Amino acid sequence: MVSQIKPNLSIKIGNLDLKNPVMVASGTFGYAEEFKDFMDLKKLGAIVTKTITLKGRHGNLPPRTCETPAGMLNSIGLENPGMDKFIQEKLPFLKKLAIPIIVSIAAEESPDEFVTLIKQLDKLAEVSAIELNISCPNLQKDKLISQDAGDTFKLVSAVRQLTQKCLITKLSPNVNSIVDIASAAQNAGSNAVALINTLGGMSIDVNKRVPKLGSWVGGLSGPAIRPVAVKMVWETYNKIKIPIIGMGGIMDIESALEFFIAGATAISIGTANFINPRVSLEIICGLKQYMVDNNIQNLSNLIGRLKACKE
Amino acid sequence: MKTVQTKAKIISNKKIKENYWHLEFESAIIAKNALPGQFVNIRVGHGFVPLLRRPISIYAVKGVKVKLFYQAVGTGTQSLSQRKSGELLDLIGPLGNGFDYRQAVKAKDARSILIAGGMGVAPLFFLAEKIKTSQPLVLIGAKTQKQILCMQEFKKLGCTVKLATDDGSLGFKGKVTDLLKLVLGQTKGLGLFSCGPRPMLKRVSEISCENKIPAQLSLEEHLACGTGACLGCVVATKSGYKRVCKDGPVFSSKELTW
């Protein structure tokens, strides 16, 4: 009789231990409470919150979403209650879940806002890690921090000194070289990079001759961007040493596996949460089954194990 | 209120005329919890085409059966119209804040007035069913006679029905909101409940203000998540943006800014 292996899904990102590598992406899962009716939230590897800014933001002019072929555009514009209200009103529910909570943060005007935000979060034991969202495409900026390796290095270096907590830098795919930006984040002390944020996009109502989004342009997500994301994870995996959290159009176990094989240590589920709130848990089950079927004891034996094409 | 994600068996999915369809499914839990104005968010096709779920108002509930009334106009609703009885439909519901009709049921000297434009009849029919003992007055508007929906169904509930068509092919000639003004000259309105195109709702809101009668308006919006997480479907209100899917789809007219 063949004894079945018990797959080990646990991973480590910096000083953060996760029981499994499946998390939910910022902005697609609210503050988790929105999904409590549909699933056991405690089974998630981690939850990444909606991005929080220092002051509350109203967000962008509606309409804010539209469906596109195999994807969707959004221009929410980081609507959030601001850090103080987040800590008072949203964090207590997340704390009760007793799973790693990763708080995503962004600056509106000046990178100095990151400093204030990190100082606040550093004091909170229930915050397991911090995601630096330097890649939101919906803030009407000419250039994002993550579109410049120098700016990325400068920002990450500045905040690195302020906390021992695990820092994850979220990167934009709207760049010439994702490897350059990921390397800059790594060299500045980021514990991991998360990629990819949405791809810039636009859609037009031809009858009215108006943009379909209130802010004209937005970010594309969903299966349409998956091949772009997989390639960027693979390219980056070959050049950096810190873990990669892969995301971009993961809809099911097969698409999740692509990311691990390309080199992601963990994955984030985004748009798929809207279509199937339970998808993350289904992917965790699917991952265990795949490891059993392929006799893989530890996830590390799957990460980046892409083979060359056979003749 | 309990919201669930479930696979519900389709009992029937029938074209009733032109591109208007009735879909009935079985779900004891949704049937038990559904309130007028709430909706279900449906994975209409198979796989990921179309990608996002489609929100459809609850039209009627009978025992464990829930009925939807929809118009197959876009890719989503056209996919839904292809679904066959016996199939399982992946849906989330009931979702959203429905109509508050507690006052309407108690009405004696004044009547509730329901104002429907186009497919706006769907949630209002469910509401009418709940408050039928108070004999609500139902105003239905459309461009032309052929697009007047549910007239007989409302009458069967015991509602008084008045019609308005833009071309005068049936009932009052003009907008349903002009008919509403006329009606309010003769009848004491207790509360207005409305669902239909945005410009119509805006006019209902103005009339409600002029006549000092409260109005509850059900808004329609494209949704991404349907559960309040993505903040994609917001509408401007006096207290900032609110989510159509979670804070609505029914809003007090006093809340909205136009």
Side-chain angles (χ1 to χ4, degrees):
Chain A
M1 205 183 104
V2 184
S3 68
Q4 209 181 57
I5 61 149
K6 274 195 173 171
N8 175 12
L9 271 70
S10 67
I11 54 148
K12 207 170 168 68
I13 297 171
N15 56 9
L16 178 64
D17 290 304
L18 301 185
K19 64 179 180 288
N20 73 64
V22 181
M23 38 181 113
V24 285
S26 180
T28 65
F29 211 69
Y31 306 97
E33 201 166 354
E34 296 87 339
F35 286 82
K36 70 177 186 323
D37 286 347
F38 311 118
M39 61 195 288
D40 182 0
L41 295 164
K42 291 188 169 83
K43 289 185 176 168
L44 290 168
I47 289 170
V48 188
T49 68
K50 171 90 184 145
T51 296
I52 309 297
T53 47
L54 198 53
K55 291 179 196 156
R57 280 180 61 85
H58 298 303
N60 289 339
L61 199 68
R64 291 176 173 181
T65 66
C66 80
E67 187 163 333
T68 58
M72 62 172 283
L73 285 169
N74 88 77
S75 70
I76 310 299
L78 300 188
E79 179 179 336
N80 79 92
M83 185 53 84
D84 289 340
K85 272 197 169 174
F86 164 75
I87 292 170
Q88 285 163 26
E89 294 169 13
K90 307 292 183 187
L91 204 52
F93 175 84
L94 292 161
K95 184 183 177 178
K96 276 191 280 178
L97 297 173
I99 61 167
I101 301 303
I102 302 172
V103 179
S104 172
I105 54 171
E108 292 181 274
E109 301 294 332
S110 152
D112 294 342
E113 294 163 37
F114 275 105
V115 172
T116 317
L117 288 163
I118 294 220
K119 282 180 179 167
Q120 271 182 284
L121 292 175
D122 186 55
K123 289 181 255 173
L124 303 170
E126 58 266 43
V127 176
S128 312
I130 298 163
E131 180 175 272
L132 306 169
N133 181 1
I134 53 170
S135 49
C136 175
N138 294 323
L139 296 175
Q140 290 86 40
K141 303 266 184 202
D142 292 334
K143 192 175 149 201
L144 307 170
I145 295 172
S146 68
Q147 283 174 322
D148 184 290
D151 292 347
T152 301
F153 182 85
K154 207 170 135 191
L155 186 272
V156 178
S157 302
V159 298
R160 177 71 285 178
Q161 305 163 24
L162 306 171
T163 184
Q164 296 295 313
K165 285 191 198 289
C166 174
L167 283 180
I168 299 161
T169 310
K170 186 155 180 184
L171 305 184
S172 168
N174 305 305
V175 293
N176 288 328
S177 167
I178 191 84
V179 171
D180 287 354
I181 311 292
S183 302
Q186 170 182 263
N187 297 340
S190 188
N191 298 105
V193 283
L195 49 108
I196 58 175
N197 206 322
T198 53
L199 273 162
M202 184 174 186
S203 191
I204 293 169
D205 180 330
V206 295
N207 294 318
K208 295 181 189 156
R209 295 192 203 170
V210 296
K212 286 189 184 172
L213 295 177
S215 58
W216 295 50
V217 297
L220 181 65
S221 64
I225 71 165
R226 189 192 307 146
V228 177
V230 172
K231 176 182 177 265
M232 289 190 164
V233 168
W234 174 73
E235 281 179 322
T236 308
Y237 176 74
N238 289 313
K239 300 284 182 189
I240 67 167
K241 293 190 177 67
I242 56 173
I244 296 165
I245 301 164
M247 69 196 77
I250 298 176
M251 304 306 286
D252 48 24
I253 178 59
E254 189 174 333
S255 44
L257 287 164
E258 279 196 74
F259 281 80
F260 289 112
I261 298 166
T265 296
I267 56 166
S268 267
I269 313 300
T271 301
N273 292 317
F274 303 158
I275 296 136
N276 177 12
R278 285 198 286 256
V279 66
S280 303
L281 304 190
E282 291 171 9
I283 288 171
I284 295 166
C285 288
L287 185 56
K288 277 182 196 158
Q289 192 58 50
Y290 180 86
M291 288 169 74
V292 169
D293 294 346
N294 291 277
N295 203 30
I296 299 167
Q297 175 76 56
N298 288 304
L299 196 63
S300 54
N301 291 326
L302 179 64
I303 296 164
R305 298 301 174 93
L306 181 67
K307 299 174 187 170
C309 297
K310 282 192 177 164
E311 288 141 29
Chain B
M1 189 201 72
K2 176 88 177 147
T3 303
V4 293
Q5 180 182 5
T6 185
K7 287 203 168 132
K9 196 166 127 188
I10 299 173
I11 300 165
S12 64
N13 191 15
K14 282 184 289 200
K15 187 193 271 196
I16 55 161
K17 67 169 187 177
E18 291 168 52
N19 56 0
Y20 297 100
W21 293 69
H22 274 168
L23 184 148
E24 200 169 31
F25 64 85
E26 195 179 307
S27 168
I29 189 153
I30 293 178
K32 187 176 163 232
N33 290 299
L35 294 169
Q38 290 190 306
F39 64 94
V40 287
N41 211 7
I42 309 173
R43 204 157 162 187
V44 290
H46 300 280
F48 297 111
V49 181
L51 184 68
L52 298 171
R53 287 173 182 267
R54 294 295 189 270
I56 309 277
S57 285
I58 296 168
Y59 170 71
V61 170
K62 198 174 181 187
V64 296
K65 296 175 186 173
V66 180
K67 201 182 228 181
L68 309 175
F69 180 27
Y70 66 98
Q71 190 179 14
V73 278
T75 48
T77 41
Q78 276 162 8
S79 290
L80 186 61
S81 71
Q82 300 306 305
R83 301 300 296 267
K84 304 278 182 274
S85 57
E87 286 181 358
L88 294 178
L89 201 56
D90 178 345
L91 42 85
I92 298 177
L95 289 163
N97 261 320
F99 292 105
D100 179 354
Y101 55 88
R102 286 169 297 183
Q103 298 300 320
V105 184
K106 290 173 197 157
K108 282 205 179 106
D109 58 331
R111 298 173 90 177
S112 298
I113 303 174
L114 280 54
I115 309 108
M119 278 309 302
V121 291
L124 293 175
F125 182 71
F126 190 16
L127 174 67
E129 219 289 319
K130 293 275 186 190
I131 62 170
K132 62 185 173 190
T133 52
S134 70
Q135 294 176 317
L137 179 57
V138 180
L139 313 183
I140 306 173
K143 283 193 180 118
T144 179
Q145 179 179 3
K146 278 175 87 175
Q147 290 155 345
I148 292 282
L149 303 168
C150 288
M151 177 178 69
Q152 291 305 331
E153 286 81 353
F154 278 110
K155 280 187 177 169
K156 273 184 210 160
L157 290 179
C159 304
T160 308
V161 180
K162 289 180 189 281
L163 309 171
T165 50
D166 292 357
D167 62 1
S169 52
L170 195 61
F172 175 83
K173 186 181 177 185
K175 296 285 177 198
V176 70
T177 43
D178 294 331
L179 175 62
L180 171 64
K181 277 197 84 165
L182 207 68
V183 163
L184 285 173
Q186 303 152 0
T187 313
K188 194 175 168 195
L190 179 75
L192 309 180
F193 300 89
S194 189
C195 184
R198 216 46 91 87
M200 182 197 107
L201 295 180
K202 187 185 175 195
R203 191 73 195 105
V204 170
S205 179
E206 287 160 0
I207 294 168
S208 122
C209 192
E210 289 158 16
N211 290 272
K212 297 186 176 63
I213 304 170
Q216 293 179 40
L217 312 175
S218 180
L219 305 187
E220 198 181 19
E221 193 49 80
H222 287 289
L223 307 183
C225 73
T227 54
C230 76
L231 312 179
C233 63
V234 297
V235 60
T237 74
K238 282 173 188 157
S239 48
Y241 283 128
K242 285 198 170 175
R243 301 162 296 183
V244 170
C245 73
K246 184 91 177 177
D247 304 309
V250 177
F251 291 92
S252 158
S253 64
K254 281 184 194 158
E255 264 186 284
L256 300 169
T257 56
W258 299 92

